Amino acid sequence: MAEIIDGKAISLKVKEEVKEKVLSFKEKYKRDVTLAVVLVGEDPASKIYVANKMKAAEFVGIKSLSFTLPTFSSQQNVETLVKSLVADKSVDGILVQLPLPKTLDSDKILSLIPAEKDVDGFSAENTGNLALFKDGTAPCTPAGIMRLIKSTGVELIGKHAVIVGRSNIVGKPVALMLLKEDCTVTVCHSKTRNLKEITAQADILVSAIGKPKFITEDMVKENAIVVDVGINRTDKGLCGDVDFDAVKEKAAFITPVPGGVGPMTIAMLMSNAYFCALRRELRGI
Ligand code: GUN
């Protein structure tokens, strides 16, 4: 029977750590840490995520600025807003909530955010730093996943980590982070052959594919650490990628959905916003 990794409790601990650091920052530099959040359109899930980000910012003492633009905003309007936030010296971090409406060129909009204000860690520079194992802003969900894995206290060196999913937001960066921790890393995706044979070798299994209950008990190694990044909305409510009830009998540690990876993303965003502010102070920018 697996130990359930409590993402809610661990995320609260992260937020409390950030809260203390933000307080010291304000005392030392006599200014706020400021995060700008841009939401375009009416996507219901995005609205909830953004509201939760603002709530977390308030909790840790980060000043948040919210910008909501209509669904049919022009590319130019969105670019003008982002450029004004880039130029605004009081803004430490800029987050453009994804997905943007399909009429917009997301890559072009995200490319306007300089690495020093890139709280999501999505920029080419921050991605490159991650690949080179250099300091930078790490993407929030993968950073949260690493924190959950490390909370188990299990030695990571030499372990076989298998990631299912190769997205820029989760699969690719978490693969690099696990490689940095000296894991042997395999990245599986929709074209992978013999998926079950590979996942069954995983000491650490991270699933980020968005298919409800896709990872079944026979795909999991005895005593594995299983991290479920899936947030799938089904008739019966939220459901992860992992068949939780069956897999928990076999794994050593498992993250639940909800209450696993989800709360960690926002906590790590707060941590990134603080680090962006501190780095701007230290570099005098
Ligand atoms: N949409 C889903 N996850 C994320 C995230 O981590 N950052 C942003 N900006 N949008 C998202």
Side-chain angles (χ1 to χ4, degrees):
M1 178 76 167
E3 189 175 311
I4 294 167
I5 303 175
D6 188 346
K8 228 173 145 177
I10 298 169
S11 72
L12 183 61
K13 202 166 157 229
V14 171
K15 283 189 284 185
E16 273 165 356
E17 287 165 14
V18 175
K19 189 175 180 171
E20 269 186 36
K21 288 179 186 166
V22 168
L23 199 62
S24 311
F25 179 96
K26 286 186 191 172
E27 275 172 15
K28 186 163 181 190
Y29 298 108
K30 311 278 179 243
R31 72 169 184 92
D32 278 317
V33 174
T34 304
L35 171 66
V37 180
V38 177
L39 172 65
V40 185
E42 300 285 333
D43 180 65
S46 289
K47 278 181 162 176
I48 295 170
Y49 289 140
V50 166
N52 287 339
K53 287 171 187 180
M54 315 295 274
K55 217 163 80 186
E58 192 182 344
F59 179 84
V60 302
I62 288 178
K63 181 175 169 186
S64 61
L65 308 172
S66 167
F67 299 88
T68 306
L69 296 179
T71 309
F72 293 106
S73 300
S74 68
Q75 179 77 18
Q76 200 189 350
N77 273 355
V78 183
E79 287 188 15
T80 302
L81 171 62
V82 173
K83 282 178 188 166
S84 74
L85 297 170
V86 173
D88 186 339
K89 287 216 177 303
S90 73
V91 171
D92 295 298
I94 304 168
L95 180 143
V96 175
Q97 184 64 30
L98 300 175
L100 285 168
K102 288 190 173 51
T103 46
L104 295 171
D105 182 345
S106 300
D107 284 347
K108 183 138 186 262
I109 291 164
L110 293 183
S111 75
L112 298 172
I113 304 171
E116 68 266 18
K117 293 193 180 187
D118 169 31
V119 280
D120 264 322
F122 291 165
S123 67
E125 187 176 330
N126 280 321
T127 305
N129 282 331
L130 182 62
L132 295 169
F133 299 163
K134 284 186 179 170
D135 286 344
T137 314
C140 306
T141 302
I145 293 168
M146 292 307 295
R147 183 92 181 211
L148 294 179
I149 292 172
K150 286 181 181 174
S151 79
T152 64
V154 170
E155 171 75 61
L156 300 183
I157 298 170
K159 293 285 162 63
H160 189 188
V162 175
I163 296 134
V164 190
R166 56 174 159 178
S167 70
N168 291 336
I169 294 187
V170 182
K172 276 190 228 172
V174 87
L176 289 166
M177 289 175 188
L178 286 160
L179 193 57
K180 190 177 178 195
E181 296 298 326
D182 295 323
C183 289
T184 301
V185 178
T186 304
V187 181
C188 301
H189 48 79
S190 54
K191 305 288 189 295
T192 296
R193 294 179 194 168
N194 308 325
L195 179 67
K196 186 173 129 182
E197 282 168 30
I198 301 169
T199 58
Q201 294 173 34
D203 301 306
I204 300 160
L205 179 61
V206 179
S207 181
I209 43 168
K211 290 187 183 169
K213 297 192 183 182
F214 182 82
I215 303 289
T216 46
E217 176 266 344
D218 55 325
M219 298 170 78
V220 176
K221 184 176 171 178
E222 197 92 41
N223 291 324
I225 300 174
V226 179
V227 179
D228 189 349
V229 194
I231 302 178
N232 308 297
R233 284 161 223 280
T234 68
D235 298 343
K236 293 184 194 126
L238 276 193
C239 171
D241 289 348
V242 176
D243 183 359
F244 182 84
D245 289 334
V247 171
K248 79 173 191 305
E249 301 300 326
K250 201 168 182 185
F253 297 92
I254 188 166
T255 67
V257 177
V261 174
M264 294 303 292
T265 299
I266 293 182
M268 301 321 281
L269 173 69
M270 297 303 120
S271 175
N272 281 354
Y274 161 73
F275 274 112
C276 283
L278 182 64
R279 199 173 42 193
R280 289 181 71 237
E281 282 295 335
L282 296 177
R283 289 183 184 168
I285 51 174

